């Protein structure tokens, strides 16, 4: 079955973790990536959680998850983004994916944008072979077996409620969640700011 072309309504913790794994393939597209425009009638906002507020120099986002078991409960009808920051310099090993639980309504994983985790850095000062997952002199984090590659920005559409929880093990990472608009998502996956057009799962 071709997973990259399907939309997924997520149910429970297992499906929530799986939502971050689906449809990730290299994209060499040069034409604009289509993205279906869904309702944005109630901006996604946090109703509960144990999370960190943004501060100067922090990972982009409004609700920041830095530690194991930190979480945020989101509610609304619209888009939100999860920005990843794998902290390979703090801990290596296999990444334990965050979960999406307590869902009511509909949650769809609609797009991936920015840098892919395994894209090799080419900027000045980067170590050969360095990526978001690590570098040869330090080591690399890994994804669970069979997990397609993650991206810097993962985009979702929510109509209802969901709780996103960080689950760190030996591999450390940060998550930055923020409400988005359809235009924000569309611009991100079509910007090629990191040298790669993003992916849309909701066409």
């Amino acid at each position: 079955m071709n997973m990259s072309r399907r939309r997924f309504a997520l149910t429970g913790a297992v499906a929530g973790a799986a939502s971050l794994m689906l449809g990730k393939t290299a994209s060499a597209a040069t034409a604009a990536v289509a993205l279906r425009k869904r309702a944005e009638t109630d901006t996604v906002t946090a109703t509960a959680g144990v999370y960190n507020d943004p501060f100067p120099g922090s990972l982009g986002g409004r609700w920041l998850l830095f530690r194991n078991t930190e979480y945020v409960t989101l509610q609304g009808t619209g888009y939100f983004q999860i920005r990843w920051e794998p902290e390979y310099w703090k801990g290596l090993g296999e990444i334990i994916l965050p979960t999406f639980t307590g869902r009511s309504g509909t949650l769809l994983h609609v797009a991936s944008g920015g840098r892919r985790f395994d894209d090799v850095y080419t900027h000045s000062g980067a170590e050969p072979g360095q990526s978001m997952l690590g570098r040869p002199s330090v080591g690399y984090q890994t994804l669970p077996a069979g997990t397609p590659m993650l991206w810097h920005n993962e985009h979702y559409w929510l109509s209802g409620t969901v709780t996103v929880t960080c689950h760190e093990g030996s591999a450390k990472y940060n998550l930055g969640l923020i409400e988005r608009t359809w235009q924000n998502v569309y611009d991100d996956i079509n910007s090629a700011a990191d040298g790669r057009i993003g992916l849309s799962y909701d066409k």
Side-chain angles (χ1 to χ4, degrees):
M1 181 181 296
N2 184 351
M3 293 293 193
S4 66
R5 297 295 183 183
R6 295 191 58 192
R7 297 191 298 273
F8 294 85
L10 309 181
T11 56
V14 174
S19 74
L20 294 176
M21 307 179 219
L22 299 170
K24 311 300 190 302
T25 56
S27 174
T30 56
V33 177
L35 179 69
R36 177 175 175 177
K37 196 173 192 304
R38 293 184 175 271
E40 300 176 81
T41 57
D42 184 14
T43 302
V44 174
T45 190
T47 60
V50 176
Y51 56 83
N52 305 274
D53 293 323
F55 55 88
S58 66
L59 174 69
R62 186 179 303 278
W63 311 291
L64 310 181
L65 307 182
F66 289 158
R67 301 170 187 85
N68 186 41
T69 73
E70 289 186 341
Y71 72 94
V72 59
T73 299
L74 301 178
Q75 179 177 299
T77 298
Y79 294 89
F80 71 93
Q81 170 187 289
I82 298 180
R83 174 166 290 180
W84 279 78
E85 183 183 35
E87 294 184 294
Y88 61 84
W89 56 92
K90 288 187 176 180
L92 302 175
E94 185 174 281
I95 292 174
I96 301 175
L97 299 174
T99 53
F100 294 63
T101 58
R103 184 183 66 84
S104 65
T106 301
L107 175 65
L108 301 174
H109 182 200
V110 297
S112 299
R115 181 181 297 277
R116 242 176 60 148
F117 276 18
D118 59 349
D119 284 338
V120 175
Y121 291 148
T122 58
H123 61 266
S124 176
E127 185 175 325
Q130 183 175 346
S131 71
M132 288 186 68
L133 289 171
R135 61 183 190 267
S137 63
V138 175
Y140 293 89
Q141 294 184 353
T142 61
L143 297 176
T147 305
M149 194 53 59
L150 298 177
W151 291 59
H152 192 194
N153 299 325
E154 298 289 355
H155 299 284
Y156 301 83
W157 180 81
L158 173 68
S159 182
T161 302
V162 68
T163 296
V164 183
T165 304
C166 175
H167 296 286
E168 287 186 320
S170 60
K172 307 303 180 185
Y173 62 83
N174 298 324
L175 301 175
L177 289 80
I178 190 170
E179 76 283 356
R180 296 279 82 179
T181 65
W182 176 89
Q183 192 67 55
N184 294 148
V185 178
Y186 180 84
D187 289 346
D188 181 48
I189 65 176
N190 281 290
S191 70
D194 291 310
R196 184 193 293 276
I197 294 291
L199 297 177
S200 171
Y201 316 120
D202 192 19
K203 300 178 182 180

